[in-house]
Amino acid sequence: MASVLSSDGRRDPDVMAANATSAALMLSDIPWGGPIGVIRIGRICGQFVVNPTMDELSLSDLNLVYACTKDKTLMIDVQAGGISEKDLEAGLRLAHPEAVKYLEPQIRLAAKAGKHKKDYKLSLVSDRTLEKVRNLTEAKIEAVFTDPSYGKFERGEALDNIAQEVKRTLEEECDTESLTVLSKVVDRVRKGVVRNRIIAEGFRVDGRHLDEVRPLYCEAGYLPNLHGSSLFSRGDTQVLCTVTLGAPRDAQRLDSLVGPPTKRFMLHYSFPPFSINEVGKRVGLNRREVGHGTLAEKALLAVLPPEDDFPYTVRINSEVMASDGSTSMATVCGGSMAMMDAGIPLQEHVAGVSVGLVSEVDPSTGEIKDYRIVTDILGLEDHLGDMDFKIAGTRKGVTAVQLDIKPAGIPLDIICECLEPALKGRLQILARMDQEISAPRTQDHRNSPRLATLKFSNDALRRLIGPLGVLKRKIEEDTGARMSVSDETLTILAKNQTVLERVQEKIDFIIGREIEVGGIYKGIVSSIKEYGAFVEFNGGQQGLLHVSELSHEPVSKISDVISVGQQLSLMCIGQDVRGNIKLSLKATLPQLKSKKNSVTEEPVPVVKEAPKVWTSVGNLPNEQEEQKLTDAELMSSRSTVKPSTSSNPGFLIRSAAECDEEDKTVSLNQGSKSNSKTLRATKRDRKQKTKVPESDDSDASIYSSGHSSHTVDRLNDEDAKVVSPLSAKSLKLGMKIAAKVYQIRALGLVLDLGNGVRGMYRFETNGKRDFEIGDELLVKCTSFSSKGLPVMSLVDDE
């Protein structure tokens, strides 16, 4: 037991614990072949660092833990960021002499305070029993191992039948000595047959060459309803990997002495009993599952995008469906494909392969006199061989390494020699994986989760959360999304893009966002006036949707198009200096194709558009002031001058409170003055409004099309002159103009004279008041207001 008594928090105590364990065994009376030395090597900016701190490891592209005796390697564990095989070999050769430095102090300590080692006696099989069992089984076992048609389970069944035949023979002979050690002796014979064939002939149990990889099969998107999935098979080994994406708060919380407090990338490896045709129950993770899962997690972590670029929490689950060796490396391959299938932006695939060793040892010296390196080992070759060297990486370099050995050490030269065949096998596997999926899938057409990180002030976030989190919980219940709030940051995890858009709409309605001209916003109609509607949107803000912005076609009655409480998607097309917002519905609608006229018009000279100037909204006149104000002053207080060639007329945006106050004042004033005659209008009168009357000056040309108009300049009673286009400066007294009703006020009309020029007309006593927006009228300029606005009169009234 190795217990941490104190820690400075700067270094991981695992390396010190391993050296302390070796020292404790040296002091004990337990016989063993130590001592051992353990070291950690990092690499920062191309320079190796011995026993780096945790801060240094965060900058390092190599985390190598190396254990050895004086002349042999015992264990290697590597997590790297794609280090080349050449650099990895350099790190290993540096680690060995550094680790050996820990041996001499332990030897001196044991000499001073160590106990005398206990004597032990090995239980050896007699030569007679070994020879007898070998004669009965060797030929049959060799026949099974040389037949490549056998699969894993068929081969195992055949070997069991051989062992049962030998058992029956020994029982008939009543050879109890041989029956006691039968299983061990048969296993020793199997080991000898397999190893001798590999070293002597260069062929393996399944008939492959030493550097040959088993047949590969892989499929990405095997379970299409999941975020990501893949099926990877290599020979009889098959792994099903799935990927689940979560929010940042789904990261695993860690409780350790050193290292980060959370982990956003997790890989869980599962090895169920059915994968090896066994019956058993699952009672939790065992040591093997934890180790294999950790190795695969290290291998894939190197290609995971940074958290700033990909803030999701990622969980990979690897389910071993069938096992015949190297399931951890199959997990690396399947996990890489599943991550790409989930749309995780990996730059390249990661693959892994296991390399084995079969050696022949000189009995007198214990040294290896011959050996063979085997690529992509079977489970049987792992069991009967000397080494399981798992190496994972990309085309560019190694990302993870784990070395398990059975003898008491392997020379480092042989270990380094294994890197080249591992690279060759890895490239072959990567080529097959690229054929199946070579780039991350796009998430546009998939039911993949969406993660959005938004920035708001803490006050705005408090409004979103609501009292005791009521509003936040309601949004989550309504949409199924999850939201997490931190300092001025809101993170949203939605099931798909549609859900994310719904959540953002609800957030925008509660909090609002910065108003931008051209931005599309969803709002609810709060009130309807004669000139337009007020819409509440973007967290309680109000904007004016003018009647001219409802549709590309003229609208006579607003209530025919929209209603109070209706939800609309609107575009912000302007904002004045007071913050009043101008909205448009027609800007979000497709533009209707205009009909071509048979008459070809002369081109209109281009006038440079002047800057948009929004006139300030003055105080509304009360009833007494209305009697004194001239018509021009009343109309100019609500006008906006916009000299432009644009087809969109300029107008003023007011708040709902200002409009309600004006309507209230006008209704009180009109209540005392109105009579029944002015409230009734005939259809005949409406038709006369659009008809241009004939007069003495009928030779004058009057033309109106859209918002552009030609004016008639009366020079005298006999002659008339056409002036085009109309501008505020060219307008003179006595000009007759074909205008359109732009707005209807309580005391008169606002007229569109064309090219953004506005005029005013005051209702006459007992005169016509039954006008509609868009009506065409023939008017004449009679005067100008104090603010320069033209005052018009109907030619019909003259």
Side-chain angles (χ1 to χ4, degrees):
M1 296 183 64
S3 301
V4 179
L5 302 180
S6 67
S7 172
D8 60 2
R10 299 181 63 246
R11 287 181 172 84
D12 195 326
D14 56 352
V15 170
M16 182 178 290
N19 287 302
T21 301
S22 175
L25 288 172
M26 290 295 293
L27 292 173
S28 71
D29 58 358
I30 301 173
W32 78 305
I36 67 169
V38 184
I39 197 75
R40 171 175 272 113
I41 300 293
R43 192 180 75 157
I44 302 175
C45 298
Q47 300 296 321
F48 290 108
V49 180
V50 178
N51 285 331
T53 64
M54 296 303 298
D55 293 337
E56 290 173 333
L57 278 178
S58 64
L59 304 175
S60 173
D61 61 352
L62 174 67
N63 185 359
L64 165 64
V65 178
Y66 181 86
C68 64
T69 59
K70 185 176 182 180
D71 53 1
K72 293 183 179 181
T73 301
L74 294 175
M75 186 274 297
I76 298 174
D77 187 273
V78 174
Q79 179 180 356
I83 188 172
S84 66
E85 279 74 10
K86 181 179 179 181
D87 292 340
L88 177 60
E89 180 180 349
L92 293 173
R93 295 194 181 279
L94 171 65
H96 188 88
E98 292 292 335
V100 169
K101 295 179 181 179
Y102 291 90
L103 303 182
E104 184 61 29
Q106 296 180 52
I107 295 174
R108 294 198 306 266
L109 177 64
K112 291 183 179 181
K115 295 181 180 180
H116 179 72
K117 300 296 181 182
K118 290 182 179 181
D119 296 330
Y120 64 93
K121 184 178 180 181
L122 292 177
S123 177
L124 301 176
V125 178
S126 65
D127 293 338
R128 184 189 68 83
T129 300
L130 179 61
E131 188 67 23
K132 184 176 182 179
V133 174
R134 179 183 288 115
N135 293 334
L136 293 173
T137 61
E138 188 172 32
K140 297 178 180 179
I141 291 175
E142 187 172 355
V144 172
F145 283 153
T146 55
D147 188 352
S149 63
Y150 280 109
K152 174 184 177 181
F153 298 114
E154 294 81 5
R155 187 185 303 113
E157 185 177 355
L159 293 174
D160 289 340
N161 292 334
I162 294 173
Q164 292 300 323
E165 291 177 5
V166 175
K167 182 178 179 181
R168 286 192 293 268
T169 302
L170 295 177
E171 287 176 345
E172 292 174 358
E173 297 178 359
C174 298
D175 190 349
T176 56
E177 179 185 355
S178 299
L179 286 172
T180 304
V181 295
L182 177 62
S183 60
K184 294 182 179 180
V185 176
V186 170
D187 188 65
R188 184 171 177 179
V189 174
R190 292 176 184 173
K191 185 176 183 179
V193 171
V194 172
R195 295 169 69 92
N196 290 336
R197 186 164 186 259
I198 289 176
I199 291 178
E201 303 177 16
F203 285 98
R204 301 158 70 174
V205 173
D206 55 357
R208 288 183 292 149
H209 295 286
L210 300 183
D211 60 349
E212 186 177 348
V213 178
R214 287 174 285 175
L216 301 172
Y217 172 81
C218 50
E219 182 178 348
Y222 184 73
L223 303 173
N225 288 334
L226 302 184
H227 296 168
S229 63
S230 69
L231 186 69
F232 181 85
S233 299
R234 181 164 52 206
D236 290 333
T237 295
Q238 187 176 73
V239 171
L240 175 65
C241 290
T242 60
V243 171
T244 305
L245 303 178
R249 69 177 183 180
D250 294 330
Q252 181 181 4
R253 291 182 174 87
L254 303 178
D255 186 13
S256 58
L257 289 174
V258 294
T262 60
K263 183 170 70 171
R264 72 183 185 99
F265 178 69
M266 298 162 279
L267 190 148
H268 296 151
Y269 169 95
S270 178
F271 192 89
F274 65 75
S275 64
I276 51 176
N277 273 1
E278 290 184 359
V279 177
K281 65 178 182 179
R282 304 299 304 274
V283 292
L285 295 175
N286 55 39
R287 181 185 60 169
R288 183 178 184 277
E289 291 175 313
V290 173
H292 281 27
T294 301
L295 173 62
E297 181 178 295
K298 291 178 180 178
L300 294 172
L301 186 62
V303 295
L304 187 70
E307 188 171 2
D308 294 339
D309 299 335
F310 191 79
Y312 292 86
T313 295
V314 181
R315 180 181 184 264
I316 299 178
N317 187 76
S318 173
E319 191 84 6
V320 178
M321 311 305 292
S323 173
D324 191 13
S326 301
T327 54
S328 61
M329 295 295 95
T331 295
V332 174
C333 301
S336 179
M337 290 194 301
M339 290 171 73
M340 279 199 177
D341 182 59
I344 300 176
L346 304 184
Q347 297 296 327
E348 54 184 335
H349 272 307
V350 180
V353 67
S354 185
V355 176
L357 177 69
V358 176
S359 61
E360 186 177 346
V361 180
D362 187 347
S364 60
T365 62
E367 298 295 329
I368 296 177
K369 61 180 183 180
D370 198 6
Y371 64 90
R372 297 290 183 273
I373 296 173
V374 184
T375 304
D376 186 22
I377 60 175
L378 299 171
L380 183 64
E381 292 171 336
D382 182 11
H383 173 69
L384 301 178
D386 297 332
M387 177 181 74
D388 182 7
F389 192 17
K390 306 179 184 71
I391 305 174
T394 65
R395 285 184 171 85
K396 298 178 181 178
V398 176
T399 59
V401 170
Q402 188 179 82
L403 173 65
D404 299 325
I405 63 172
K406 294 178 178 63
I410 295 176
L412 182 57
D413 291 339
I414 297 179
I415 299 294
C416 294
E417 187 180 344
C418 294
L419 297 177
E420 185 62 29
L423 174 61
K424 180 181 177 182
R426 186 169 78 244
L427 293 177
Q428 181 180 345
I429 298 170
L430 287 171
R432 179 64 185 87
M433 292 167 61
D434 282 336
Q435 291 177 9
E436 176 62 23
I437 179 171
S438 59
R441 298 195 196 277
T442 59
Q443 298 183 349
D444 297 338
H445 64 286
R446 295 173 58 85
N447 195 32
S448 302
R450 298 295 190 274
L451 187 72
T453 302
L454 307 176
K455 293 292 184 180
F456 295 102
S457 65
N458 289 328
D459 292 337
L461 292 176
R462 278 190 285 270
R463 292 201 309 272
L464 174 64
I465 296 172
L468 301 177
V470 174
L471 294 179
K472 174 177 173 290
R473 285 198 301 272
K474 188 173 188 313
I475 294 176
E476 291 177 333
E477 292 172 0
D478 292 343
T479 62
R482 288 188 294 165
M483 299 189 298
S484 59
V485 179
S486 58
D487 186 26
E488 297 187 345
T489 303
L490 173 66
T491 303
I492 308 169
L493 179 67
K495 185 177 180 180
N496 50 47
Q497 183 65 31
T498 303
V499 174
L500 179 62
E501 291 174 356
R502 287 177 55 198
V503 174
Q504 289 178 327
E505 288 174 7
K506 292 179 179 292
I507 292 173
D508 289 344
F509 192 80
I510 296 174
I511 297 180
R513 52 193 171 107
E514 185 178 353
I515 301 297
E516 297 179 357
V517 175
I520 305 296
Y521 304 88
K522 288 192 176 182
I524 296 177
V525 179
S526 58
S527 62
I528 295 178
K529 307 297 179 183
E530 293 180 352
Y531 44 83
F534 284 95
V535 180
E536 183 177 349
F537 73 109
N538 199 46
Q541 291 183 289
Q542 279 203 343
L544 176 63
L545 174 60
H546 194 267
V547 64
S548 62
E549 295 295 333
L550 284 174
S551 174
H552 294 291
E553 298 294 330
V555 176
S556 58
K557 195 174 181 180
I558 299 177
S559 58
D560 292 340
V561 182
I562 59 176
S563 59
V564 176
Q566 183 178 353
Q567 186 174 1
L568 301 173
S569 292
L570 305 169
M571 178 184 289
C572 175
I573 58 175
Q575 191 172 7
D576 66 10
V577 294
R578 296 185 62 182
N580 298 318
I581 300 167
K582 173 183 173 182
L583 302 174
S584 175
L585 177 62
K586 72 178 183 180
T588 63
L589 302 176
Q591 179 71 40
L592 298 177
K593 295 183 179 180
S594 59
K595 298 180 180 179
K596 296 184 179 180
N597 298 327
S598 59
V599 180
T600 304
E601 302 177 12
E602 294 184 0
V604 179
V606 178
V607 180
K608 186 176 181 180
E609 182 175 356
K612 297 179 180 180
V613 180
W614 301 94
T615 59
S616 61
V617 179
N619 296 325
L620 292 174
N622 53 33
E623 293 186 20
Q624 293 77 13
E625 291 173 340
E626 285 181 0
Q627 303 295 334
K628 300 178 182 179
L629 288 175
T630 66
D631 296 340
E633 290 170 343
L634 175 63
M635 303 304 291
S636 63
S637 65
R638 297 296 180 203
S639 300
T640 301
V641 180
K642 183 182 177 183
S644 170
T645 58
S646 173
S647 61
N648 294 326
F651 56 87
L652 180 67
I653 303 171
R654 297 175 296 165
S655 66
E658 292 174 329
C659 294
D660 292 340
E661 183 66 25
E662 181 185 6
D663 290 345
K664 181 178 178 181
T665 304
V666 171
S667 62
L668 292 175
N669 187 34
Q670 291 292 343
S672 60
K673 297 181 180 180
S674 62
N675 53 66
S676 60
K677 293 182 179 180
T678 59
L679 298 177
R680 295 193 300 269
T682 64
K683 295 183 178 179
R684 177 178 54 81
D685 295 333
R686 295 182 181 177
K687 292 180 179 179
Q688 288 178 351
K689 282 185 263 182
T690 59
K691 182 178 180 181
V692 179
E694 297 180 359
S695 60
D696 296 338
D697 52 341
S698 59
D699 57 336
S701 298
I702 301 176
Y703 174 75
S704 176
S705 175
H707 291 287
S708 240
S709 65
H710 293 264
T711 64
V712 180
D713 185 2
R714 185 185 299 275
L715 301 178
N716 49 53
D717 293 339
E718 289 81 21
D719 301 324
K721 178 183 178 182
V722 178
V723 181
S724 177
L726 177 68
S727 65
K729 293 183 179 181
S730 64
L731 187 61
K732 298 180 181 180
L733 293 176
M735 281 188 179
K736 290 182 180 181
I737 302 168
K740 285 186 178 181
V741 177
Y742 180 67
Q743 291 181 3
I744 301 175
R745 301 293 181 87
L747 301 180
L749 304 176
V750 178
L751 302 176
D752 181 7
L753 306 182
N755 292 330
V757 180
R758 302 286 182 263
M760 49 160 278
Y761 166 70
R762 183 179 177 86
F763 292 141
E764 300 292 338
T765 305
N766 298 329
K768 296 177 183 178
R769 294 174 178 262
D770 186 16
F771 296 96
E772 293 184 2
I773 294 176
D775 286 349
E776 293 186 359
L777 304 175
L778 184 62
V779 296
K780 181 173 69 173
C781 179
T782 58
S783 63
F784 292 91
S785 70
S786 59
K787 296 186 178 181
L789 292 177
V791 180
M792 315 303 292
S793 65
L794 293 177
V795 176
D796 293 339
D797 294 343
E798 292 183 341

